[in-house]
Amino acid sequence: MTQWTSAVGAAQLARLLNSQQERPAGPGTRRPPAYRALADGIRLLVLEGRVPVAARLPAERELALSLSVSRTTVAAAYEALRAEGFLESRRGAGSWTAVPAGNPLPARGLEPLPPEALGSVIDLGCAALPAPEPWLTRAVQGALEELPPYAHTHGDYPAGLPALRQTLADRYTARGIPTMPEQIMVTTGAMGAIDAICHLFAGRGERIAVESPSYANILQLMREAGARLVPVAMAEGLRGWDMDRWRQVLRDSAPRLAYVVADFHNPTGALADEDQRRQLVDAARSAGTVLVVDETMSELHLDEGLALPRPVCGFDPGGSTVVTVGSASKAFWAGMRIGWVRAAPDVIRSLVAARAYADLGTPVLEQLAVNWLLSTGGWEQAVEMRRDQARENRDALVTALRRELPGWEFDVPSGGLTLWVRTGGLSGSRLAEVGERVGVRVPSGPRFGVDGAFEGYVRLPFTVGGAVADEAATRLAAAARLVETGANGGTETPRTFVA
């Protein structure tokens, strides 16, 4: 990293440092020098993702005033962080956060476990559930009945089948967002939608602001497209979006795109309230940033009586600032690779024109199946089944984790498919590595961060329940004991991610 992409003010950094829970010292333990405590505090904020990597830190004098310490203390702490690889500096450019070169970053997202391995390994890697039957079979049968007229055409519909575009537009209109079919493009899953948006708006080297943490596969897609990711730290717990940070990043970095999951955020499960959504749209509009909103989890609300906020695009009905992405993959089935984009008509036309050089269009039969579901009421019944299953799985997993791993911390989200778990100081990467050996597969926190943050976390989806959830927690506890004791087949390993 040779350049900072965001900044942390002195007052903000002081507030974050003061919010850290101080660990009690053991008997006879001496308190570290002030500079060492400050360096450790900043390092922990970076590792937990509360201060992004490549964030410019305040000048020594400014931070000293905010913390009521000497400038010498701050200078010594910065020097210690530079020596450890957590800070880089350049004359005239200041100092910005980093991660040590010896800490390899995850290169990709987590691929699905091969079906043949499912009997021996509990897969908590992918946040996806089996198909809700009998609705998948009925949808395919309904699609086959509708197929003959389309079979007499060329079968290429770059914008999507007109019938499905109309149905999706009508659903947005029913949610209070007047929408025309010309504002809809059907894609091959949400990944296909976001890939097309990135190629249209953000060429190689362009900045894209992303939540920190964020969805691993989207982060990797953007990296491979050559984007410069600008992380924006989430607020603690399920409070979600820190609007002061978002306004600062959008103003100072002027990213071409910003990507957010406002509905049951992946991985934290947070739900943005209406005020956060309004402020986010206003900040993006002021900065000239296109706001890409991922709604793939929006229908997976699990708690009874939960009041859902308006869609983010409701604060930008014309679609000039907000581009919305939806999908059948999370709410229905990951094997149904149907996604869509809602945006202004001119944006849709540009996306469709660019698609001629990519995949030409989305499979007709699957589009007909989704249209059958949405048009007959089958979608609502299938999604209700999905909510019931996810709710039961969530509650079973939460109970098992609290019993087997009481030192692990998490907030229980009101929807979505994932728990974001702080692992009591243990390395998430080591837990993922050791977990596979004891028969449970989990993605480590750094997969969901930019440049190595979140080493002390893992993401656990609600994909198993009952006795399997109990066994998953038992195996995770076994992996945690092995990491804690440094057991690695005879090789000593560090106990925690914090030295």
Side-chain angles (χ1 to χ4, degrees), residues 19-43:
S19 71
Q20 291 176 328
Q21 294 181 348
E22 187 173 351
R23 294 185 174 89
T29 302
R30 298 176 59 185
R31 294 181 65 87
Y35 85 89
R36 183 69 264 171
L38 175 56
D40 289 347
I42 294 174
R43 178 181 56 179

Side-chain angles (χ1 to χ4, degrees), residues 9-256:
Q12 179 185 3
L13 182 55
R15 189 166 57 250
L16 290 169
L17 288 165
N18 290 332
S19 71
Q20 291 176 328
Q21 294 181 348
E22 187 173 351
R23 294 185 174 89
T29 302
R30 298 176 59 185
R31 294 181 65 87
Y35 85 89
R36 183 69 264 171
L38 175 56
D40 289 347
I42 294 174
R43 178 181 56 179
L44 185 58
L45 289 173
V46 173
L47 287 168
E48 291 189 343
R50 298 177 67 193
V51 169
V53 175
R56 188 178 187 271
L57 295 187
E60 295 169 1
R61 187 185 304 277
E62 295 174 7
L63 185 57
L65 287 171
S66 292
L67 293 174
S68 298
V69 300
S70 71
R71 182 178 177 182
T72 302
T73 296
V74 177
Y78 279 14
E79 183 57 38
L81 289 168
R82 276 190 288 269
E84 295 162 4
F86 286 93
L87 196 68
E88 295 183 12
S89 303
R90 191 172 66 240
R91 186 178 296 277
S95 298
W96 56 92
T97 55
V99 291
N103 290 11
L105 305 180
R108 308 192 62 81
L110 194 67
E111 294 80 9
L113 191 69
E116 61 270 18
L118 291 176
S120 58
V121 178
I122 298 174
D123 187 8
L124 298 181
C126 295
L129 292 163
E133 288 289 23
W135 295 107
L136 175 62
T137 298
R138 292 180 182 177
V140 172
Q141 290 171 343
L144 288 171
E145 293 176 3
E146 298 290 333
L147 182 62
Y150 295 94
H152 293 291
T153 72
H154 50 66
D156 289 335
Y157 296 89
L161 292 184
L164 180 55
R165 296 176 74 194
Q166 182 68 62
T167 298
L168 291 168
D170 290 345
R171 285 178 67 84
Y172 278 104
T173 300
R175 293 169 70 189
I177 318 297
T179 303
M180 304 178 294
E182 291 80 8
Q183 290 178 264
I184 301 292
M185 181 177 86
V186 181
T187 62
T188 307
M191 292 288 287
I194 294 171
D195 182 57
I197 293 165
C198 288
H199 280 88
L200 177 63
F201 286 104
R204 183 166 293 274
E206 292 275 7
R207 288 177 170 149
I208 301 179
V210 295
E211 298 146 330
S212 183
S214 187
Y215 179 37
N217 288 334
I218 293 297
L219 294 180
Q220 185 60 26
L221 182 155
M222 292 174 175
R223 290 187 188 104
E224 293 187 356
R228 298 173 59 192
L229 302 184
V230 183
V232 186
M234 300 282 284
E236 281 292 285
L238 296 180
R239 295 197 304 274
W241 291 257
D242 185 327
M243 292 315 306
D244 288 338
R245 292 182 184 179
W246 270 102
R247 279 190 291 269
Q248 180 183 15
V249 168
L250 295 180
R251 181 182 65 245
D252 295 347
S253 297
R256 188 70 184 90

Side-chain angles (χ1 to χ4, degrees), residues 238-373:
L238 296 180
R239 295 197 304 274
W241 291 257
D242 185 327
M243 292 315 306
D244 288 338
R245 292 182 184 179
W246 270 102
R247 279 190 291 269
Q248 180 183 15
V249 168
L250 295 180
R251 181 182 65 245
D252 295 347
S253 297
R256 188 70 184 90
L257 289 179
Y259 169 77
V260 298
V261 187
D263 297 279
F264 310 117
H265 175 259
N266 187 354
T268 69
L271 176 66
D273 61 33
E274 286 216 5
D275 188 53
Q276 289 172 331
R277 293 167 188 240
R278 181 184 297 104
Q279 290 188 57
L280 193 55
V281 173
D282 289 345
R285 184 181 292 117
S286 296
T289 297
V290 175
L291 185 62
V292 182
V293 179
D294 186 334
E295 284 192 335
T296 53
M297 295 280 192
S298 64
E299 298 195 56
L300 294 176
H301 44 91
L302 306 182
D303 289 350
E304 296 294 334
L306 178 66
L308 295 174
R310 276 188 292 169
V312 178
C313 59
F315 300 96
D316 179 49
S320 60
T321 296
V322 176
V323 175
T324 303
V325 172
S327 171
S329 297
K330 297 297 184 185
F332 186 75
W333 183 47
M336 188 71 77
R337 304 305 304 160
I338 298 296
W340 53 86
V341 179
R342 180 201 180 275
D346 62 317
V347 172
I348 295 298
R349 286 194 294 270
S350 296
L351 287 169
V352 171
R355 192 174 193 179
Y357 306 100
D359 63 354
L360 292 179
T362 302
V364 169
L365 189 63
E366 292 185 29
Q367 292 187 72
L368 289 171
V370 170
N371 193 56
W372 184 91
L373 285 166

